[in-house]
Amino acid sequence: MNILETFNKKLYEPAPASFIGWSRIVILLILLWKFLSRDYSIFGLMPEELAIAYAGNTFNPLSAYVALGFKPIVDLFTFHWIHAFLPFPTVNILYYLQLFLEAMLVVTLFFGGGYKKLNYLIIYIVGMYLLGFIFSMGADIDEIFIPMQMVLLLFIFRGKETYILSSNQQSPLNYSRENGWFFSMVLLIFIGYYFLCGFTKIIDISLWDWGRCEVANLVELNKIKIAVGDDRAPFFMRDLIVGNSWMDIPGTALIYLEHLMIPLLFFKRRYIAFAWFIYFSFHLTSLSLNLFFTGIFLSWLVFLPVHRFYAKIIILWDGDCSFCKKSVDVAKKLDVFNRFIVINSNEKGKYEEELKGWDGDIDKGLWAKGVDSHENLVGFDGFRRMVWVMPLLWIILPILYIPLIPTIGRKVYAWIAKNRYMFGCNSKGCRI
C-alpha cells in the first residue's frame, strides 16, 4: 500500500460523532472568551490612515511567509476589502457588530449551525472582520488560527451535529467514515499549524542562531521584573529554567524536531496523547517567556475522547483466575454509572455477537471493548480504557498517558497476566 492509499484510508477512518459536538463546544467557548476579552469598538476612534502596520510592512518583506502579511492579502481574508465600497466603521457599528458576534456564538453553542450550517459561516466572516483590525495594527495573534479554521470546517461539514438542543442530530456514539473525515481534517489543521511554525523557524534564522538565544537568561530577566513589580504572574516553570543555560540548544532542537515531525501524527494516531503532552509542556515553557498561546493551548482539548466517559464497555476476564475475579469485582463496585458488561471467559459461547472480531486470547490479560466503538484493547490498555468510566479513578487517568508510563505499564501487566494463577485459581486444571 503506497502512501496515497494509506493517507486516503486514514482520512476516512471511522470516528465517533461525539468528536464533532465536543469540538464545537471547545472552539466556540474559546472564541467567546477571546471576543469578550477585547473591546473592538475602540478601532472606530482610529483614523483609517493609521491602520497600516501590516506584517508585510513591519517585518522583513523578503521572507517568504511575510508575503501573506501584505495589505491586499490580509484585507482579502479578513473581508476588509469591503472598505473600498463602504466607509470605515464607527464606534457604534463595531460595538453592535461585536455584540452580534457574541450572541451568535452563544446561540450556536446550544443550537448548532442552524440552516445549512450558516451560523458558522456568519461567525467566521464577522470574526475574521473584527480580527482584521488587530492584524492591521501589526499584532500577531496566530493562536486564533486553529479555532477560526475549525469554525470554517464546521460550516463545510455536511453531516449531522451532536450535543445540540435539537432532535435532528446523530448519536454521539455513531461511528462513520463521514465523522472520520471531520476528525482527520481537524488533525490536519493542527498538523498544518505546527509544521508551518517549524518551517518558518528554518527560513527565519539558522538553527545555530536559534540555539544562541539565551532562553534561560530571558526567563531569569522576566522573574526579576516580577520581583520588582511587573504585573505578570509568578510561574513555577521559570524556576526550572533559570540557571540552566545548557538547555538552550537542545531545547531549541527539540522544538524544531517536534514541529517538523508532526505530519507523522496523521498516520500514527495512537500518539495523539503523547503529542498532546509534548505540546502541553512546550506551551507551559513558553509562558516563562511571557509568550501566551492560550487559544492554541486550550484548542488541544478537542482531542479529549469524551465518548469514553459514558460508552458501555464489554469486559472479558479469565473465569479460572480468582485474582482476576476479585479485580473485576472491585472494578464493578467502582462502576457507579453501570457502564460495564462483564463476560466470564468460560461463557464466551453465549456472547458470540458481542465478541465478534476479537482476538480474545485470555492469556494476554483482561480485554476491554467499547460496545459502539472500534476499540479492542487488552492488558494495560484495557485497564486504562476502564478507568475512563470509573469517576473515583479519574485522578490517575492523566498519569496513565504520560510518556513511558504506558510502556512500563504494559510490561508490568504482561508479567501479572502471565503469572496470574500464582495469585489464585478456580480450576483444578490450573498451573499453580
Side-chain angles (χ1 to χ4, degrees):
M1 185 180 294
N2 60 44
I3 190 170
L4 290 178
E5 292 175 338
T6 304
F7 178 85
N8 190 63
K9 181 179 179 181
K10 280 292 183 181
L11 184 64
Y12 292 98
E13 186 173 83
S18 59
F19 179 77
I20 300 165
W22 174 243
S23 297
R24 187 193 81 256
I25 292 171
V26 170
I27 294 306
L28 293 185
L29 283 176
I30 291 173
L31 290 177
L32 185 60
W33 164 60
K34 280 292 181 182
F35 284 106
L36 283 172
S37 63
R38 178 179 274 120
D39 181 8
Y40 285 86
S41 67
I42 62 173
F43 292 105
L45 299 172
M46 179 183 68
E48 185 176 358
E49 294 76 17
L50 293 180
I52 58 173
Y54 292 82
N57 300 329
T58 306
F59 300 100
N60 179 9
L62 297 179
S63 299
Y65 68 94
V66 174
L68 295 176
F70 285 113
K71 178 177 172 59
I73 297 177
V74 174
D75 286 355
L76 175 65
F77 287 103
T78 60
F79 305 98
H80 278 222
W81 51 263
I82 197 173
H83 294 152
F85 310 97
L86 296 177
F88 208 64
T90 63
V91 171
N92 286 337
I93 289 177
L94 288 175
Y95 172 79
Y96 287 111
L97 195 60
Q98 182 175 352
L99 198 64
F100 169 74
L101 175 61
E102 291 161 358
M104 284 296 298
L105 286 166
V106 172
V107 170
T108 308
L109 186 63
F110 289 99
F111 298 98
Y115 178 73
K116 300 291 185 179
K117 307 281 185 75
L118 287 177
N119 287 0
Y120 297 119
L121 182 60
I122 293 171
I123 289 172
Y124 181 80
I125 293 175
V126 178
M128 288 300 294
Y129 176 76
L130 292 177
L131 291 170
F133 291 100
I134 307 295
F135 294 139
S136 66
M137 294 302 295
D140 180 11
I141 50 172
D142 59 342
E143 64 175 330
I144 283 296
F145 174 84
I146 289 177
M148 293 307 292
Q149 291 297 310
M150 287 189 61
V151 167
L152 192 58
L153 179 62
L154 284 164
F155 167 69
I156 296 172
F157 180 65
R158 295 294 93 187
K160 290 184 178 181
E161 300 190 68
T162 54
Y163 302 146
I164 59 176
L165 299 179
S166 170
S167 58
N168 186 26
Q169 59 179 309
Q170 58 177 318
S171 166
L173 298 178
N174 176 42
Y175 275 72
S176 71
R177 285 168 54 83
E178 186 178 39
N179 297 336
W181 176 87
F182 182 87
F183 181 93
S184 295
M185 295 305 293
V186 170
L187 186 56
L188 286 173
I189 288 174
F190 278 80
I191 289 173
Y193 174 81
Y194 284 104
F195 181 77
L196 289 175
C197 285
F199 180 72
T200 55
K201 284 179 172 61
I202 292 176
I203 65 176
D204 189 0
I205 57 177
S206 68
L207 176 61
W208 173 248
D209 288 329
W210 274 108
R212 289 191 298 174
C213 180
E214 298 178 347
V215 177
N217 289 339
L218 290 174
V219 172
E220 185 173 8
L221 179 61
N222 284 325
K223 187 176 180 180
I224 294 173
K225 288 180 178 179
I226 293 171
V228 297
D230 195 290
D231 61 357
R232 296 179 179 87
F235 185 53
F236 75 94
M237 287 291 291
R238 290 191 177 95
D239 294 325
L240 301 179
I241 300 174
V242 170
N244 291 307
S245 57
W246 61 269
M247 298 171 59
D248 292 350
I249 293 180
T252 303
L254 179 61
I255 293 172
Y256 269 91
L257 192 62
E258 66 185 4
H259 283 14
L260 296 177
M261 291 186 65
I262 194 172
L264 297 176
L265 196 63
F266 184 83
F267 302 98
K268 302 294 183 180
R269 299 182 181 188
R270 65 179 181 274
Y271 293 113
I272 286 179
F274 177 77
W276 194 350
F277 176 82
I278 292 295
Y279 285 110
F280 178 83
S281 303
F282 167 67
H283 290 303
L284 274 183
T285 305
S286 70
L287 285 176
S288 301
L289 294 169
N290 299 316
L291 298 175
F292 297 91
F293 296 95
T294 318
I296 301 172
F297 187 82
L298 294 176
S299 294
W300 275 94
L301 288 173
V302 301
F303 292 111
L304 184 68
V306 293
H307 67 284
R308 291 184 177 178
F309 286 120
Y310 55 83
K312 282 187 172 294
I313 309 173
I314 298 172
I315 307 297
L316 179 64
W317 62 284
D318 186 352
D320 293 328
C321 170
S322 58
F323 170 73
C324 303
K325 183 180 185 305
K326 292 176 183 177
S327 300
V328 170
D329 286 342
V330 171
K332 288 168 68 176
K333 290 180 181 178
L334 295 174
D335 178 26
V336 296
F337 297 124
N338 195 30
R339 304 297 189 194
F340 294 155
I341 299 175
V342 181
I343 299 177
N344 185 319
S345 63
N346 294 325
E347 301 175 347
K348 285 167 48 176
K350 299 179 181 179
Y351 300 92
E352 292 183 0
E353 185 62 30
E354 288 83 351
L355 302 179
K356 185 178 180 181
W358 277 31
D359 177 334
D361 183 356
I362 205 63
D363 286 335
K364 295 180 181 179
L366 174 145
W367 287 79
K369 178 182 183 300
V371 172
D372 298 299
S373 76
H374 292 232
E375 296 173 312
N376 186 5
L377 307 170
V378 66
F380 172 83
D381 298 284
F383 165 73
R384 187 169 63 177
R385 177 65 184 87
M386 293 170 61
V387 173
W388 281 89
V389 295
M390 295 190 284
L392 294 178
L393 296 185
W394 282 349
I395 191 172
I396 70 169
L397 191 55
I399 299 174
L400 299 179
Y401 284 90
I402 294 177
L404 297 182
I405 294 296
T407 302
I408 297 171
R410 290 180 187 114
K411 291 185 180 297
V412 171
Y413 195 101
W415 183 89
I416 294 174
K418 182 179 180 180
N419 300 280
R420 62 191 181 279
Y421 294 127
M422 294 172 54
F423 304 100
C425 177
N426 295 330
S427 172
K428 295 180 180 179
C430 292
R431 295 168 294 169
I432 307 297

